[in-house]
Amino acid sequence: MQEIIDSLSKVLDPGGLIVGEEAVEQQKSWSLGASTASVIVRPKTTQQVSELLKICHAAGVSVVTQGGKTGMVRGCVAAAGDVVLSLERMTAIESIDELGRTMTVQAGAVLQTVQERAEELGLLFPLDLGARGSATIGGNISTNAGGNRVIRYGMMRELTLGLEVVLADGTIISSMNRMLKNNAGYDLKHLFIGSEGTLGVVTRAVLRLRSFMPSQNTALVVVQEFEALAGLLKSADAGLGGRLSAYEVMWNSYYEKASQREGHKAPLEPGYPYYVLIETLGSDQQGDAQSFEAFLELALEKELIVDAVLAKSYAERENLWAIRDNIESMLALWPLSVFDISLSIDQMPGYLDKISAQFKAKWPDTFAQAVFGHLGDCNLHLVISVGSEEPAVRQQVEEIVYSALKSRGGSISAEHGIGLEKRDYLRYSRSEAEIALMRSLKSMLDPKGILNPGKVLG
Ligand SMILES: Cc1cc2nc3c(=O)[nH]c(=O)nc-3n(C[C@H](O)[C@H](O)[C@H](O)COP(=O)(O)OP(=O)(O)OC[C@H]3O[C@@H](n4cnc5c(N)ncnc54)[C@H](O)[C@@H]3O)c2cc1C
């Protein structure tokens, strides 16, 4: 390994290489757990990434790329012999095209910085998620991140116009398209979006911006029946003139814990079956507020909702979102497992009934769960506790959650990816032919298997 370290050091400035104890120490984080790599390279340019990968490729040394390390599926855990490639020094916002509404960034740029830079110019980068202060654009691209506004603007795939990627052997593929339309052959960026660092290292990207939306209306509402959740979504979609930007549902099992925040009174009493956080983004502050209120009144009249609280200020809006984002409150269920799945809305009640019955039968005294999710995107998050941290028990819980998705055409991963965590269950959501094609692509682009080994496909 020393020989490799010597070669890597020649590509980088002294601050670009961290080895030994200091590297192991830096790998200590909640999302990495068992990461034990003792070499971290911190390039500043695509050219350096290319040189580093050439060295690792020639020596057959595996490389694990890390962005903000906020991933939820152990996608950037590195083993002792791996080289960690960190994008933390590639954070530049290179340019903004206000007319074409694009931003060109290095892959280590932090999501929140990108959002704020766009906002300064009256523009919007719509991707938004709880880890915005640490997650990077490269990580967002590599996981095809979703988040809170997918219903309006799509996932990271829809927000990425161009990409620069370095392949395992150091080849630079610069596909920095800035146009909405470009059908010149295969659109190669889609190969790398969502590939979780297994097909190439994303070094730069062209992001699609939108107009900043000055009017934001947010409400928390109570829904009594699951069918009304779907009906409310349909009428919000149709009745709010395309402005619906979030439709976040919390089952009471989640809301009753998440709404208990020190110093804050729950805006609506817990105990109802469902709570929905509805938000619109628009450009006409007065008109949007009026039509939002009219929509809520109509929903009350039609008995789609039975109670509602409307945010009247920025602080009130933040308070409503703080409940939705209060994932820490789930620690009350410890030991627990968190799942990110998707399935069509009409399948959700049957699915949840089935897995709950299985859990109750197997762990009658210790089973507890909480459910919430981006329902408008067919995405549920499940917090399941059966009272044990044992890996064998966790496996039994996973089997129940994932196997019931198979017959319903659901997905074992809605937005977090596969990483190490869901690798053994990929076949529940993908056919043999699909997995075989994934393997062919992997071996074509990374014949020595040095990029993020063991992740996604194993
Ligand atoms: C509080 C919280 C809330 C979250 N909410 C959401 C949410 O609503 N929606 C959602 O989708 N996710 C969510 N996440 C998960 C996470 O934030 C996203 O997956 C995010 O996109 C990861 O970005 P990152 O920079 O931290 O990537 P990392 O965790 O560093 O890496 C994730 C994966 O991408 C690979 N990778 C990273 N950078 C690159 C690169 N430049 N080139 C190639 N491969 C790379 C890594 O090898 C790894 O496989 C949340 C996480 C937290 C902690």
Side-chain angles (χ1 to χ4, degrees):
M1 195 63 170
Q2 190 53 49
E3 221 176 290
I4 308 284
I5 295 174
D6 290 344
S7 306
L8 296 173
S9 71
K10 289 188 186 127
V11 177
L12 299 160
D13 58 285
L17 184 68
I18 303 174
V19 291
E21 265 313 299
E22 195 187 342
V24 174
E25 206 48 42
Q26 285 210 6
Q27 286 295 287
K28 287 189 178 147
S29 105
W30 64 268
S31 63
L32 298 182
S35 225
T36 50
S38 59
V39 181
I40 303 177
V41 290
R42 303 160 73 230
K44 284 184 170 171
T45 64
T46 302
Q47 197 54 44
Q48 285 181 341
V49 173
S50 165
E51 297 302 321
L52 295 167
L53 283 178
K54 274 181 197 161
I55 293 166
C56 293
H57 188 255
V61 170
S62 42
V63 177
V64 177
T65 306
Q66 292 179 353
K69 298 182 279 188
T70 67
M72 305 287 279
V73 289
R74 293 189 287 133
C76 47
V77 174
D82 296 340
V83 167
V84 168
L85 194 160
S86 166
L87 274 291
E88 66 195 332
R89 296 201 305 171
M90 291 183 62
T91 58
I93 292 179
E94 295 180 351
S95 61
I96 298 176
D97 173 357
E98 289 183 59
L99 183 63
R101 299 201 294 183
T102 64
M103 188 189 289
T104 302
V105 301
Q106 281 188 308
V110 171
L111 172 60
Q112 189 169 346
T113 311
V114 166
Q115 291 173 329
E116 287 169 0
R117 190 74 187 95
E119 212 172 306
E120 280 164 21
L121 298 171
L123 293 166
L124 173 77
F125 181 61
L127 186 82
D128 192 37
L129 40 88
R132 65 184 75 75
S134 309
T136 62
I137 293 300
N140 299 153
I141 290 171
S142 303
T143 57
N144 186 25
N148 302 332
R149 296 182 185 143
V150 171
I151 198 168
R152 171 86 176 263
Y153 296 104
M155 296 179 78
M156 194 60 187
R157 191 178 294 285
E158 281 80 43
L159 306 174
T160 308
L161 291 175
L163 266 196
E164 185 170 84
V165 179
V166 183
L167 301 184
D169 66 0
T171 305
I172 298 172
I173 305 289
S174 201
S175 193
M176 297 290 278
N177 168 65
R178 288 169 48 189
M179 295 150 311
L180 275 185
K181 289 185 171 177
N182 185 347
N183 279 349
Y186 304 147
D187 197 344
L188 295 173
K189 66 175 180 281
H190 289 301
L191 260 184
F192 301 97
I193 299 173
S195 71
E196 300 181 53
T198 62
L199 299 182
V201 177
V202 177
T203 51
R204 294 166 69 227
V206 181
L207 307 176
R208 181 178 179 192
L209 305 178
R210 304 298 177 88
S211 295
F212 180 72
M213 294 286 153
S215 115
Q216 204 166 355
N217 289 285
T218 313
L220 182 69
V221 305
V222 169
V223 173
Q224 291 277 30
E225 317 239 320
F226 187 86
E227 290 65 36
L229 285 176
L232 183 65
L233 173 60
K234 204 169 153 196
S235 51
D237 215 11
L240 290 167
R243 292 186 299 276
L244 181 66
S245 59
Y247 192 84
E248 301 289 315
V249 177
M250 293 170 271
W251 271 240
N252 184 53
S253 53
Y254 183 84
Y255 181 83
E256 69 183 358
K257 291 187 177 56
S259 60
Q260 304 307 308
R261 297 166 55 239
E262 217 180 304
H264 296 272
K265 189 177 173 304
L268 293 166
E269 284 302 313
Y272 292 101
Y274 308 101
Y275 298 80
V276 190
L277 186 62
I278 303 176
E279 190 161 271
T280 62
L281 288 176
S283 53
D284 171 7
Q285 282 180 342
Q286 211 181 345
D288 292 349
Q290 279 167 358
S291 66
F292 193 63
E293 280 183 45
F295 157 74
L296 291 176
E297 273 165 27
L298 192 64
L300 274 166
E301 251 171 54
K302 287 181 170 170
E303 296 180 353
L304 286 170
I305 63 178
V306 294
D307 203 353
V309 52
L310 187 62
K312 291 284 185 198
S313 64
Y314 177 80
E316 286 182 13
R317 175 180 312 126
E318 291 291 294
N319 270 333
L320 296 185
W321 273 106
I323 296 172
R324 163 59 181 78
D325 290 339
N326 190 8
I327 319 258
E328 292 83 46
S329 64
M330 293 298 108
L331 291 175
L333 296 180
W334 194 262
L336 54 83
S337 305
V338 182
F339 295 93
D340 158 56
I341 57 158
S342 73
L343 76 168
S344 62
I345 294 174
D346 59 337
Q347 297 270 5
M348 286 177 182
Y351 169 79
L352 290 171
D353 285 350
K354 177 169 176 155
I355 63 166
S356 299
Q358 284 179 278
F359 286 129
K360 276 181 202 146
K362 212 165 169 61
W363 293 281
D365 302 324
T366 48
F367 166 60
Q369 71 172 352
V371 183
F372 64 108
H374 315 285
L375 192 107
D377 316 334
C378 302
N379 180 186
L380 289 183
H381 295 309
L382 313 176
V383 182
I384 309 280
S385 175
V386 295
S388 168
E389 276 183 274
E390 287 297 312
V393 174
R394 156 110 199 171
Q395 216 176 334
Q396 291 171 34
V397 171
E398 287 172 352
E399 187 62 38
I400 289 174
V401 170
Y402 295 139
S403 61
L405 288 168
K406 231 185 339 182
S407 59
R408 293 174 166 81
S411 173
I412 60 162
S413 176
E415 58 178 8
H416 291 165
I418 298 295
L420 277 182
E421 193 163 306
K422 302 187 178 189
R423 189 184 64 179
D424 296 341
Y425 301 96
L426 187 59
R427 66 187 192 285
Y428 288 12
S429 291
R430 298 292 188 197
S431 67
E432 272 180 37
E434 284 176 302
I435 293 174
L437 181 55
M438 289 183 202
R439 286 193 193 285
S440 301
L441 288 168
K442 170 74 177 168
S443 57
M444 184 187 70
L445 292 169
D446 180 17
K448 292 188 174 181
I450 66 160
L451 291 182
N452 217 357
K455 316 292 164 40
V456 184
L457 293 171

